[in-house]
Amino acid sequence: MDNACRHDVRDISRNFQILGEFRSAMPWGSGHINDSYCALYSQAGVEVRYLVQRVNHTIFKNPVGLMQNVERVTAHLATKWADQPDASRRVLTLVPTRNGRCSFIDASGDHWRVYLFIEKARTYDVVESPGQAFQAGRAFGEFQALLADLPAPRLIDTIPDFHNTPKRFASFEIALAADVAGRARLAGPEIDFALSQKSLCKVLLEANLPARTTHNDTKFNNVLLDDQTGEGICVIDLDTVMPGLAPYDFGDLVRTTTSRASEDERDLSKVFFDFPLFESIARGYLSAAGGFITKAERQHLAVSGLLITFETGLRFLTDFLAGDAYFKVHRQGQNLDRCRTQFKLMGSMARQENSMRKLVEEIQ
Ligand code: ADP
Ligand code: GN1
Ligand code: MG
């Protein structure tokens, strides 16, 4: 087993239809939930990479249903890209197991899947330019557009009430009352701020917006940008693709692509909303989604950034209070640091909400 890996990737990947000999594996990416590895194989001396992933079944309680969603979504997207240049880099491709399934369950009950590795493209944890922001916006808008005609049945909810912000607020109140880790005393200002924002939580759910097939985790680092052209070439991390509201997707893009600071930055002076980045996201998203979203959805794009930045800050705070049970942490207090960046960013967005609203109305 590779020392840097928490799992025996060689042994796990043996169960998939991978050609060649195993060479090495290393942990990959910076996600908070699953475990991802880049596995290197050799075919006649030529190196071939694969992305091997463990689905966190403590969080995704129905991994079999989740994989059915992923299979259907990737198959649908593949038909859309068929015969287009670079088709195999525009959608994730599952590598089947030796017995033809889309995932493998190991002896400890962990669910594993393998994707073809998309070469000459990468993700970025922090946005570097308005051009990248435009590409991310366009790619996620296009993703919604291409899934608009996904045939029935409805995808399953891989996490029920995932973007039900009022329910997220209720979970926060329960965690606060329980204070199991005795940490509430360390987060007084953040708790007071969260409590003061209760009325914002319902703004999207009460707006009577249409349910669509949405991604629901549109972080900037969930789109691969082509190394040469910079194009947003492939939307990844499909575990939360399910019925949802379009503005939540747009909002999470705004949350993760309008600040140039890391999500857990401790120097809050570095955390602020960058309007030109917002403009690029909005132009990119609307270039692909502007033709099908309704007037009501468009009217809620500006507030969606504030809402999901609040929701995510609230989730980090709830997890801090619960003793770091949900998001991976690499140091003490990391969830509280993450909460602080979100609340700081939200304040900075709120001051520019009217300008955001105006811009979104103006873009054709
Ligand atoms: P997580 O749920 O942990 O965020 P992701 O599915 O986003 O996992 O994958 C983690 C990282 O692995 C991504 O940020 C991306 O850099 C890389 N990645 C994922 N899928 C592929 C792929 N098929 N080809 C190349 N890189 C990939
Ligand atoms: C998690 O797995 P990752 O890092 O892409 C989380 C998102 C949060 C995000 C915050 C299933 O996403 O909802 O917005 O962290 N995913 C899940 O960075 O809870
Ligand atoms: Mg990810």
Side-chain angles (χ1 to χ4, degrees):
M1 174 162 51
D2 190 307
N3 280 340
C5 299
R6 282 180 48 234
H7 299 94
D8 189 342
V9 179
R10 174 201 293 259
D11 198 47
I12 290 151
S13 56
R14 209 172 260 141
N15 297 284
F16 290 83
Q17 294 182 30
I18 294 177
L19 308 177
E21 281 109 53
F22 178 88
R23 288 280 177 258
S24 61
M26 63 173 98
W28 206 250
S30 51
H32 299 333
I33 312 290
N34 292 327
D35 295 310
S36 305
Y37 299 97
C38 173
L40 185 66
Y41 274 72
S42 164
Q43 265 181 62
V46 176
E47 293 187 336
V48 186
R49 300 200 282 181
Y50 293 89
L51 201 282
V52 178
Q53 250 176 358
R54 185 185 78 93
V55 179
N56 183 331
H57 64 262
T58 311
I59 285 175
F60 294 106
K61 299 203 185 313
N62 179 1
V64 172
L66 179 155
M67 287 308 296
Q68 284 166 355
N69 277 6
V70 172
E71 253 190 317
R72 288 178 54 204
V73 165
T74 52
H76 185 74
L77 293 173
T79 64
K80 300 279 173 163
W81 290 116
D83 303 326
Q84 301 285 325
D86 242 356
S88 68
R89 295 174 71 236
R90 294 184 183 277
V91 53
L92 289 174
T93 305
L94 285 163
V95 175
T97 64
R98 296 261 169 227
N99 54 13
R101 297 183 195 280
C102 58
S103 62
F104 164 74
I105 306 174
D106 71 15
S108 61
D110 277 333
H111 288 244
W112 291 88
R113 66 178 165 223
V114 174
Y115 288 118
L116 294 185
F117 200 92
I118 296 173
E119 297 290 352
K120 300 200 174 162
R122 55 167 289 212
T123 53
Y124 297 76
D125 286 338
V126 176
V127 62
E128 292 176 353
S129 67
Q132 287 186 339
F134 180 92
Q135 285 299 326
R138 194 200 49 71
F140 281 113
E142 180 179 68
F143 184 84
Q144 289 180 348
L146 295 177
L147 289 173
D149 61 349
L150 181 76
R154 183 186 191 278
L155 294 174
I156 67 144
D157 291 328
T158 57
I159 299 182
D161 293 317
F162 191 58
H163 286 312
N164 184 325
T165 316
K167 286 206 175 160
R168 295 287 186 185
F169 194 89
S171 303
F172 157 68
E173 289 181 311
I174 291 168
L176 177 58
D179 194 19
V180 290
R183 291 176 172 178
R185 64 192 167 79
L186 303 172
E190 291 75 22
I191 291 167
D192 289 345
F193 177 77
L195 291 170
S196 75
Q197 298 298 311
K198 185 172 184 174
S199 61
L200 175 69
C201 295
K202 57 187 184 320
V203 65
L204 285 186
L205 291 193
E206 288 194 349
N208 215 4
L209 303 175
R212 299 186 183 280
T213 300
T214 49
H215 185 283
N216 296 302
D217 189 6
T218 55
K219 272 164 89 161
F220 182 60
N221 69 9
N222 281 333
V223 58
L224 287 163
L225 302 183
D226 185 277
D227 288 344
Q228 265 182 342
T229 62
E231 182 187 353
I233 190 129
C234 186
V235 166
I236 60 167
D237 208 342
L238 307 178
D239 298 327
T240 50
V241 178
M242 57 185 157
L245 303 181
Y248 270 115
D249 271 7
F250 181 79
D252 212 25
L253 260 167
V254 173
R255 174 181 81 81
T256 55
T257 319
T258 58
S259 160
R260 292 175 190 257
S262 303
E263 195 173 56
D264 61 352
E265 174 60 59
R266 280 187 272 198
D267 178 356
L268 291 181
S269 71
K270 294 185 181 159
V271 181
F272 53 87
F273 174 76
D274 179 315
F275 196 85
L277 288 173
F278 174 80
E279 175 164 0
S280 297
I281 298 163
R283 289 193 185 282
Y285 176 76
L286 290 170
S287 73
F292 69 82
I293 60 165
T294 64
K295 195 171 169 209
E297 285 174 310
R298 190 186 273 256
Q299 282 168 344
H300 285 85
L301 293 182
V303 77
S304 71
L306 272 86
L307 178 66
I308 200 149
T309 305
F310 177 63
E311 180 187 288
T312 309
L314 191 67
R315 291 175 63 197
F316 288 141
L317 181 56
T318 304
D319 200 34
F320 175 72
L321 295 172
D324 306 320
Y326 187 94
F327 296 105
K328 283 183 191 168
V329 287
H330 309 287
R331 57 178 158 80
Q332 247 197 338
Q334 194 171 9
N335 270 320
L336 183 57
D337 293 336
R338 290 170 176 155
C339 160
R340 287 178 173 148
T341 62
Q342 301 307 294
F343 288 175
K344 169 83 197 289
L345 180 61
M346 185 195 166
S348 170
M349 278 178 193
R351 286 189 287 281
Q352 300 189 59
E353 190 183 349
N354 285 339
S355 312
M356 283 197 265
R357 209 177 285 280
K358 212 163 148 269
L359 177 81
V360 164
E361 271 168 29
E362 280 166 12
I363 296 174
Q364 293 300 311

